[in-house]
Amino acid sequence: MAPLRIATDLRDEECGISAPEDSPTAKKPLRADSSRIPLTRWEAAAAATVFLIFSVGLFCIFLTMPEADYDKILRLPRNLSDLRILKDNLAVYARDYQAKFILGYCSIYIFMQTFMIPGTIFLSLLAGALFGVVKGVILVVLSATSGASSCYFLSKLIGRPLVSWMWPEKLRFFQAEIAKRKEKLLNYMLFLRITPSLPNTFINLASPIVDIPFRIFFLATLVGLVPASYITVKAGLALGDLKSVRDLYDMKTLVVLFLIGFVSIFPTILKRKRTYE
C-alpha cells in the first residue's frame, strides 16, 4: 500500500507524499457543487466555540510565561530555515524556564493537532534539537496523542459532514477495512499509526465516525506514534545537516516502518491462516 502523506506527529500532510489518483485511499477532487462546507449553523457555532476556548486557554498560558523577546520566540516555523533560527533563539529560554517552556510547547502542539494546523513535524524536530532523543520522544508522543484525542472528540461532535465532504471515497474504504477487522482492531490501528498508509489527520477525524472505540484509538496512537516520532526527534539532533523534511522518510525508513507495522498485524494474519486450515 503506497504511503499517502507523511504526517504527525508525525506524518504531516505538507510533506507531500501522495497516493496515485486511482488509489482507493486517494483524496478525490471536490465537485464544483460541493465547494460549500456542509456544516449546519449549530455545528459551525460549536466548532467556533471549541476553537475560542482552546485559543483563550493558550493565550492564558502564555500570559504566565516569563518575559522575553517574544518577537523572536513566538513564531511557528514553516521551513527548516525558520526552524534553525527559532532553535537558536529558544535554546537559552528553554534552559532557564524549562517547566514553563514545556507547558507552552505541549499546549501549542495539542492546539495544532486538535485543529489540524500543519507544522507539527517542525515542532517534533525542535523537540529533538532542544531536549534530546528520550525527553523529546516522550514530549512529542504525549503531545501528539493528546492532540489526536482532542481531534477525535471534536470530530465526534461535528466531524461526520466534514469527512464525508472532504474524503467520501477514502471514508468508505476506511469503514470497509474496519468492518473486516473488528476482532483485531487494535492491531490494525497500530499498523495504520506506525506506517504512512493513511494520513494521521484523516485517522483522527474518521475514527469516531467509523465507530472505533476511544480506548483502542488512544492506545494505538500512544504506541503507534513512537517509531515515527523517534525518527523525527532524532533528526532534530542534526538539524543543521537536514536539507529537506522529505529526507526524514526516505525509502529505507519507509521500509522499516512498514516492517514494524506488519509485525503488529501478524497475529491477525496467522489467525486467519489457521481458520482456513
Side-chain angles (χ1 to χ4, degrees), residues 2 7 12 56 67 71 77-78 95 103 111-112 117 130 135 137 158 178 189-190 192 199 208 215 235 273:
D12 286 50
V56 171
E67 292 186 5
D71 62 321
R78 293 301 177 185
R95 183 193 64 206
L103 175 63
F111 181 85
M112 294 177 69
I117 300 174
L130 293 175
K135 188 181 290 187
V137 169
I158 62 163
I178 294 299
M189 289 298 293
L190 279 172
L192 293 181
R215 64 182 184 279
K273 182 179 179 181

Side-chain angles (χ1 to χ4, degrees), residues 73-120:
I73 66 173
L74 293 184
R75 295 181 177 181
L76 287 178
R78 293 301 177 185
N79 52 56
L80 290 177
S81 297
D82 289 348
L83 187 62
R84 293 186 186 102
I85 295 172
L86 183 62
K87 182 256 182 182
D88 294 336
N89 293 334
L90 283 175
V92 175
Y93 191 89
R95 183 193 64 206
D96 295 341
Y97 309 105
Q98 189 173 91
K100 290 188 175 181
F101 176 82
I102 289 175
L103 175 63
Y105 173 91
C106 293
S107 300
I108 293 175
Y109 205 118
I110 292 170
F111 181 85
M112 294 177 69
Q113 282 280 83
T114 301
F115 298 104
M116 300 155 287
I117 300 174
T120 52

Side-chain angles (χ1 to χ4, degrees), residues 104-255:
Y105 173 91
C106 293
S107 300
I108 293 175
Y109 205 118
I110 292 170
F111 181 85
M112 294 177 69
Q113 282 280 83
T114 301
F115 298 104
M116 300 155 287
I117 300 174
T120 52
I121 193 168
F122 296 116
L123 293 182
S124 299
L125 288 167
L126 187 62
L130 293 175
F131 301 111
V133 174
V134 176
K135 188 181 290 187
V137 169
I138 293 173
L139 277 177
V140 169
V141 171
L142 292 181
S143 299
T145 302
S146 300
S149 300
S150 296
C151 188
Y152 176 98
F153 287 112
L154 181 62
S155 180
K156 200 175 184 70
L157 180 67
I158 62 163
R160 183 176 294 274
L162 278 177
V163 178
S164 300
W165 172 66
M166 295 174 67
W167 300 292
E169 296 296 330
K170 192 183 298 183
L171 180 61
R172 284 192 286 269
F173 169 81
F174 189 42
Q175 195 162 25
E177 292 298 304
I178 294 299
K180 292 188 294 185
R181 295 171 170 84
K182 285 292 185 181
E183 293 184 0
K184 293 291 183 179
L185 190 54
L186 178 59
N187 299 79
Y188 180 61
M189 289 298 293
L190 279 172
F191 173 80
L192 293 181
R193 284 303 196 188
I194 293 170
T195 65
S197 304
L198 287 172
N200 277 326
T201 298
F202 173 78
I203 296 172
N204 296 342
L205 287 170
S207 291
I209 297 172
V210 298
D211 298 322
I212 295 175
F214 177 69
R215 64 182 184 279
I216 292 179
F217 173 88
F218 180 85
L219 185 58
T221 302
L222 184 66
V223 177
L225 291 182
V226 172
S229 296
Y230 173 80
I231 292 170
T232 310
V233 169
K234 188 176 180 182
L237 295 176
L239 195 58
D241 299 329
L242 194 63
K243 297 179 180 180
S244 169
V245 174
R246 296 175 186 271
D247 295 341
L248 292 172
Y249 292 89
D250 56 14
M251 184 56 64
K252 181 180 178 180
T253 302
L254 291 174
V255 169

